[in-house]
Amino acid sequence: MPELPEAENICRALKRVMAGRTITRVEVFTPAMREPLTSLLSAGLEGLKVVDVRRRARYVVEELSDGRALLMHFGMTGVVRVESTDIPRRKHEHVFLHLDDGRAFRFECTRRFSVLKVCTLPEPGGFPAELDAFGVEPLTPAFDGTHLFKRSRGKTVNVKCFLMDNAVVAGIGNIYATETLFAANISPLRPAGKLTRRECGTLAAEAKRILARAIELGGSSISDFLNVDGTEGKFAQEIAVYGRAGQSCPRCGGMIETVRLGGRSSAWCPNCQK
């Protein structure tokens, strides 16, 4: 499932190839993914230019020249490509946005949990109202130990679910929360309200480091994620505990275990993480 680093890499790639391009034609092959797609046909996208591409949490926003935007989320199996229409349509490609350079933006999603829709922007460079509830971005100065410490006071929820709460910090999903907690030597079972100020600083620093490294390596190709150019992310090669239940801990040699938290499986080392 694409998480923040994967969405960031998709955003950067789309910005390189789509900013300044004009949409010339829209084709929809499937009525809906998570939300209807047929409305794209009557949205008046033809003739609009892509002004900018940016990310918020795990969403990517393509700003259009009329003050609206294309809002996309990649669900569990979303893949987008910008390539020639001479390449035959793949079975699960649901939308083609034809561009003025002869290529097309192509949205593929096997499970159809992704989103692609038109929305209104409050101002140029802004984000649609659907994203207003998100908290601070983890790669900005606003996300630090002080922020985590303040938000965690009085919280009885476990720290794993706390880190994955988009109202606290936007876009840290299961993979990167698991890796962050391991790097910080903190058990995912700990109540968030029991974290010390120092531990909150360590969590914020490790989250920033791990997310930045994952972006540098193109994300994690776990499950069905592919980058815009079809390549796989390489961060999976550096994962320490996620998906490694029953294997040896790379730090202490103990057994990595798994526990269900917030409906998600969470791998951890009971010996290292306290």
Side-chain angles (χ1 to χ4, degrees):
M1 179 179 185
E3 295 191 17
L4 186 151
E6 291 77 45
E8 178 65 24
N9 275 285
I10 291 171
C11 174
R12 293 180 183 185
L14 291 179
K15 186 168 185 172
R16 286 195 298 269
V17 298
M18 291 192 70
R21 298 264 66 91
T22 297
I23 299 170
T24 60
R25 185 161 62 96
V26 178
E27 285 188 288
V28 174
F29 306 102
T30 307
M33 291 191 291
R34 191 192 310 175
E35 298 188 26
L37 291 171
T38 50
S39 58
L40 294 172
L41 295 170
S42 57
L45 299 177
E46 294 86 352
L48 297 181
K49 182 177 290 188
V50 177
V51 175
D52 189 27
V53 185
R54 51 189 175 270
R55 178 193 57 76
R56 181 77 168 105
R58 284 177 275 182
Y59 286 82
V60 171
V61 175
E62 286 193 356
E63 183 173 348
L64 303 173
S65 54
D66 70 343
R68 295 182 296 166
L70 287 166
L71 178 66
M72 61 189 82
H73 187 280
F74 308 101
M76 298 181 70
T77 57
V79 176
V80 294
R81 301 177 180 88
V82 178
E83 60 186 9
S84 171
T85 53
D86 292 337
I87 298 172
R89 173 180 164 252
R90 299 168 183 87
K91 179 180 179 180
H92 297 291
E93 285 185 322
H94 307 304
V95 177
F96 281 13
L97 302 179
H98 293 263
L99 305 173
D100 59 351
D101 65 354
R103 295 183 294 175
F105 165 91
R106 304 159 64 136
F107 204 121
E108 178 182 20
C109 186
T110 304
R111 299 191 186 182
R112 302 187 188 181
F113 291 159
S114 297
V115 172
L116 177 64
K117 65 179 181 180
V118 179
C119 57
T120 302
L121 296 178
E123 59 188 5
F127 291 96
E130 290 94 324
L131 308 184
D132 285 349
F134 286 124
V136 300
E137 285 285 331
L139 295 175
T140 64
F143 178 64
D144 58 12
T146 299
H147 171 77
L148 281 182
F149 187 74
K150 288 180 178 178
R151 293 301 301 266
S152 65
R153 295 308 85 191
K155 299 287 186 182
T156 58
V157 67
N158 66 75
V159 65
K160 171 76 179 301
C161 291
F162 174 72
L163 275 181
M164 293 177 62
D165 184 348
N166 279 308
V168 174
V169 53
I172 297 182
N174 194 25
I175 297 172
Y176 299 104
T178 298
E179 292 297 298
T180 294
L181 287 166
F182 177 75
N185 295 319
I186 294 173
S187 166
L189 302 172
R190 289 265 303 279
K194 299 295 185 181
L195 294 171
T196 66
R197 189 179 295 273
R198 181 175 181 178
E199 286 173 328
C200 287
T202 301
L203 275 177
E206 290 296 343
K208 286 175 180 285
R209 180 185 66 81
I210 288 169
L211 289 170
R213 180 61 174 163
I215 291 169
E216 178 186 351
L217 294 178
S220 303
S221 288
I222 295 172
S223 185
D224 301 285
F225 171 71
L226 292 174
N227 283 302
V228 173
D229 61 1
T231 60
E232 295 185 348
K234 301 298 189 293
F235 185 72
Q237 299 171 10
E238 298 191 5
I239 280 177
V241 291
Y242 177 85
R244 299 184 186 275
Q247 299 181 32
S248 297
C249 171
R251 182 186 294 137
C252 73
M255 184 73 72
I256 297 172
E257 298 183 7
T258 186
V259 63
R260 198 84 175 164
L261 297 172
R264 299 292 189 92
S265 179
S266 187
W268 67 303
C269 175
N271 189 48
C272 288
Q273 296 173 253
K274 303 297 183 183

